[in-house]
Amino acid sequence: MAARFLRLRGCLRAAGARPFSAQASPLQTEQHAPKRPEPSSAKSLIDIGTRRIFTSDHDIFRESARKFFQEEVLPFHSEWEKDGQVSRELWEKAGQQGLLGVAIAEKHGGIGADILSSAVVWEEQMYVNCTGPGFSLHSDIVMPYIANYGSEEQIKRFIPEMVAGKCIGAIAMTEPGAGSDLQGIRTYAKKDGSDWILNGSKVFITNGWMSDVVIVVAVTNREARSPAHGISLFLVENGTKGFIKGRKLNKIGLKAQDTAELFFEDVRLPASALLGKENKGFYYLMAELPQERLLIADIALAGCEFMFEETRNYVKQRKAFGKTIAHLQTVQHKLAEMKTQICVGRAFMDNCLQLHADKRLDSATASMAKYWSSDLQNSIATQCVQLHGGWGYMWEYPIAKAFVDARVQPIYGGTNEIMKELIARDIVSDQ
């Protein structure tokens, strides 16, 4: 782990950049550095070196991440779509490249960079239109629970292996009868001496099939004054007796991402499997969900940027009526509308990223970002498919894959209807 971190820092030093831990914030350095172009005025929405929230250090890291996704992911993704999962070799390569656990503190075995560096990884994966690797969930949803609430023993056991890509993480919240309503969870863990006996099932679990460790959300006190007061989190390792992985689910999109059903039949867990404190799980979930929703929102915006550039290139080449369709005013106006919408969304999204980097992002704002960005992603996907005509409906065209992959974004991480409820609750609250 130390060698990998030093290689990453060495790469930055060789390019004249400061180590991550020594970086000033982009706002602090803004007055002393050349002004960075905004996406609206850049040649491309995915150009490196744009956006004021980033620094040259982030640009160097982005170049490395872009190269990795273009060389190690894109050429193999079609095969992984057929398999319904990526390879384990890819996970270890990502670990060697320093792309896992990027924002996890160095003292816990992580890379020790900032959340903006994690956003670089999220975005670069979307810029190659390859949704198979579940890196973001592993690094920026699962690992923070262990780093923030785990015991020293749990952190030492799991974090270094997860950063190396040798231990794949998942989180099991959703059940057949409980989706966005976390208080409707039925999976139950009861005390048996110092052990726990876990029973229940989960569904739609990203990284579920390949997972080596799963954070399982379970009820531990059925007599609590509200369901929120009786939920706990458990670390369940692959191979534990009674832990059964069901089939890989056949989804309409995210074809290369392993999504599975999980079953727990009298799974005996030691006291050391409890993550954090007993009956505090719901509060941990509420504390961590804003980052999950921010992640989904940024992925959505990056997806919009990819689809726009893909479509711009297509209409400049596709001919109809004796000229490229980019010469048609209706097409030009559609491109103008889409770019404006994406740039407006990016401005808000980058503001949210900066707020989160400063530890000031609240739940309502994260919910706004998630619902608005994922709705925009689906709108842009529909318009881009239309501009591709019949070819946009063909699976071999990247826009077709982007279209179906976008559809789940308003659903997971809390449906967009729930996001509006959370926003509205904040609006009408007297507190």
Side-chain angles (χ1 to χ4, degrees):
M1 175 64 234
R4 178 168 52 255
F5 183 70
L6 289 172
R7 283 199 302 273
L8 184 60
R9 288 193 160 187
C11 175
L12 293 174
R13 290 195 195 98
R18 287 166 297 172
F20 284 117
S21 62
Q23 290 178 21
S25 75
L27 295 180
Q28 288 175 311
T29 59
E30 187 176 0
Q31 294 180 342
H32 306 287
K35 298 293 184 182
R36 298 171 68 87
E38 291 301 314
S40 58
S41 58
K43 185 178 180 181
S44 163
L45 293 180
I46 63 175
D47 278 355
I48 295 176
T50 63
R51 298 162 58 188
R52 74 189 74 170
I53 65 169
F54 292 118
T55 67
S56 58
D57 297 357
H58 293 112
D59 295 342
I60 295 166
F61 185 53
R62 187 180 290 276
E63 288 171 358
S64 174
R66 183 165 295 189
K67 185 173 187 288
F68 177 86
F69 283 110
Q70 288 176 342
E71 295 181 358
E72 301 293 347
V73 178
L74 183 58
F76 311 104
H77 203 261
S78 292
E79 285 302 310
W80 293 333
E81 287 170 358
K82 297 173 186 175
D83 296 340
Q85 66 182 78
V86 303
S87 68
R88 278 199 167 265
E89 181 185 13
L90 175 70
W91 280 89
E92 295 194 24
K93 285 182 177 180
Q96 292 164 6
Q97 191 69 21
L99 298 178
L100 303 177
V102 172
I104 299 299
E106 186 180 1
K107 66 181 181 181
H108 294 324
I111 299 299
D114 59 7
I115 195 65
L116 298 180
S117 301
S118 285
V120 166
V121 181
W122 310 339
E123 293 166 6
E124 289 304 317
Q125 183 171 339
M126 294 305 292
Y127 291 161
V128 294
N129 198 36
C130 295
T131 53
F135 298 159
S136 58
L137 178 130
H138 167 91
S139 295
D140 300 299
I141 298 177
V142 178
M143 290 177 70
Y145 281 99
I146 300 174
N148 293 338
Y149 310 112
S151 65
E152 184 177 350
E153 178 189 352
Q154 290 169 335
I155 290 170
K156 287 181 178 179
R157 174 169 173 74
F158 293 109
I159 295 294
E161 290 291 288
M162 295 176 82
V163 171
K166 295 179 180 179
C167 175
I168 299 173
I171 184 165
M173 297 189 210
T174 304
E175 299 184 0
S180 295
D181 179 16
L182 290 175
Q183 296 191 58
I185 285 171
R186 294 290 176 267
T187 296
Y188 179 56
K190 68 175 182 178
K191 276 273 187 69
D192 184 37
S194 62
D195 292 346
W196 294 90
I197 306 298
L198 179 68
N199 281 281
S201 64
K202 302 289 183 177
V203 71
F204 310 140
I205 307 306
T206 301
N207 293 347
W209 182 260
M210 297 184 71
S211 63
D212 298 298
V213 63
V214 182
I215 297 174
V216 179
V217 183
V219 174
T220 46
N221 182 4
R222 287 175 168 168
E223 308 303 319
R225 63 180 185 271
S226 75
H229 291 86
I231 288 176
S232 301
L233 308 182
F234 294 90
L235 291 167
V236 181
E237 295 184 63
N238 185 36
T240 302
K241 186 178 180 181
F243 173 28
I244 302 165
K245 295 179 180 180
R247 62 193 174 95
K248 284 183 281 187
L249 300 174
N250 187 19
K251 311 179 296 295
I252 65 170
L254 307 181
K255 290 290 189 180
Q257 190 178 101
D258 65 298
T259 310
E261 299 171 302
L262 304 179
F263 301 94
F264 307 93
E265 299 178 357
D266 290 328
V267 177
R268 181 172 289 275
L269 300 171
S272 60
L274 179 68
L275 180 61
K277 296 181 180 179
E278 183 179 340
N279 298 324
K280 294 294 183 181
F282 187 80
Y283 301 99
Y284 300 152
L285 294 169
M286 292 302 100
E288 299 300 322
L289 278 171
Q291 178 160 302
E292 177 177 348
R293 288 161 182 164
L294 179 75
L295 185 161
I296 293 170
D298 195 36
I299 284 173
L301 252 299
C304 291
E305 290 159 345
F306 166 80
M307 289 186 286
F308 176 84
E309 295 301 338
E310 187 73 16
T311 302
R312 191 216 314 240
N313 292 336
Y314 178 81
V315 300
K316 290 171 71 174
Q317 298 172 18
R318 174 68 171 165
K319 289 187 176 181
F321 310 109
K323 56 187 176 182
T324 63
I325 62 174
H327 284 88
L328 299 174
Q329 188 181 63
T330 185
V331 171
Q332 293 176 357
H333 285 187
K334 184 58 67 178
L335 291 171
E337 291 170 2
M338 289 195 295
K339 183 174 181 181
T340 302
Q341 292 167 350
I342 294 167
C343 289
V344 169
R346 174 50 73 193
F348 178 58
M349 187 66 247
D350 280 2
N351 182 59
C352 290
L353 285 168
Q354 187 62 59
L355 284 171
H356 193 47
D358 296 338
K359 302 189 185 307
R360 296 194 298 124
L361 181 69
D362 60 73
S363 177
T365 305
S367 298
M368 292 178 197
K370 192 269 181 184
Y371 119 70
W372 199 88
S373 298
S374 58
D375 272 4
L376 178 65
Q377 182 184 13
N378 278 269
S379 173
I380 295 296
T382 297
Q383 295 174 74
C384 288
V385 167
Q386 188 71 20
L387 288 174
H388 276 73
W391 295 113
Y393 203 64
M394 298 296 106
W395 188 250
E396 63 265 28
Y397 274 70
I399 198 65
K401 297 179 183 181
F403 176 80
V404 295
D405 287 349
R407 189 58 193 88
V408 74
Q409 289 270 93
I411 298 173
Y412 59 21
T415 66
N416 282 5
E417 291 74 20
I418 295 295
M419 297 302 99
K420 293 174 187 178
E421 284 288 322
L422 296 173
I423 297 164
R425 188 181 303 166
D426 187 65
I427 293 169
V428 302
S429 172
D430 293 327
Q431 297 182 353

